[in-house]
Structure formats: C-alpha cells, structure tokens
Amino acid sequence: QVQLVESGGGSVQTGGSLRLSCAASKYTISGGCMAWFRQAPGKGREGVAGIDAEGNSRYVEIVKDRFTISRDNAKNFLYLEMNNLKPEDTAMYYCAARRWGRFCALSTFPRLDFDYWGQGTQVNVSS
C-alpha cells in the first residue's frame, strides 16, 4: 500500500528555516497531485501548499513568499522549504497525496481532498 513518511521537523527560533521531506513508497511522486497540510494544537487541519503533476504549485496566503513546495522525481521525495518561520507556524506537518488518475484541480486547493496521508513531523517555532 502507499506509504508517505515525513521527516525534517524540529525546533527553531522565529526567523529560522527548516526543510521538510516526504518519502513516498508505492506512489510515484513525479505524476502525482501532492500537498502539505498542518495542524496546530486545538485547531483543525489546514492546507499549506499543493503541487500538481506538471509542477504547478499553490500556496495559502499566510505562507506565500516564505514556503516553497518542490519534489525530486529521481528520489521520489516531496519537500517543503520553510523560511522566516513564525510562532504561528508551530504545528504537526503532514504530507498528502491524491490517488493517481484523480484530477488535480489545484485551483481549489486547499479544499481538494487527498487519499493518502503520512504520520506527520512536528515543527516548533519559538519567539
């Protein structure tokens, strides 16, 4: 079955940077519709960034110009580069993928639904 495994989380101070990684097995990232979501304590899950098979990306406003979603097709990894981190970015971050063949309507992100989820990696940003 499809497995997504996140890594790269940690604790940083305000203004710091982190790069999250998502390793996929039994799922080819190069042609997939994928995204990063996050969930802060006591809050609902929210979309952060999405990427389609063509490499187009979409970000929610609060992370635009600070976060970058990308992928390494050869390694079959998805990444989230996070810069200028703020305390409000503190959350568990999840990698998600849409089943192959399902249309990736990136314009609807973050309302787009995803079929596969990782276990998450924790990001803590202190002031």
Side-chain angles (χ1 to χ4, degrees):
Q1 70 222 34
V2 172
Q3 190 173 20
L4 304 173
V5 180
E6 303 93 336
S7 61
S11 296
V12 296
Q13 292 188 323
T14 297
S17 299
L18 283 172
R19 188 177 81 155
L20 306 183
S21 300
C22 172
S25 59
K26 297 188 176 180
Y27 187 89
T28 303
I29 281 181
S30 61
C33 180
M34 302 194 70
W36 287 95
F37 284 75
R38 68 186 183 186
Q39 186 167 17
K43 295 188 178 181
R45 187 172 59 197
E46 64 174 355
V48 175
I51 188 168
D52 65 14
E54 288 72 38
N56 301 305
S57 58
R58 188 173 180 92
Y59 301 87
V60 294
E61 194 62 34
I62 54 174
V63 306
K64 205 174 287 187
D65 298 327
R66 297 190 298 124
F67 290 11
T68 302
I69 188 171
S70 63
R71 61 184 180 217
D72 185 325
N73 294 338
K75 294 182 179 179
N76 212 39
F77 269 70
L78 181 74
Y79 300 104
L80 184 68
E81 185 78 34
M82 305 186 296
N83 297 311
N84 191 21
L85 283 161
K86 305 176 180 181
E88 51 264 42
D89 295 318
T90 293
M92 184 74 78
Y93 283 72
Y94 299 92
C95 172
R98 201 165 162 87
R99 193 165 55 245
W100 265 68
R102 294 187 70 191
F103 181 61
C104 189
L106 205 57
S107 59
T108 67
F109 182 81
R111 297 190 306 279
L112 200 61
D113 62 293
F114 290 82
D115 302 291
Y116 310 112
W117 295 84
Q119 293 300 305
T121 185
Q122 181 68 39
V123 171
N124 295 310
V125 185
S126 58
S127 56

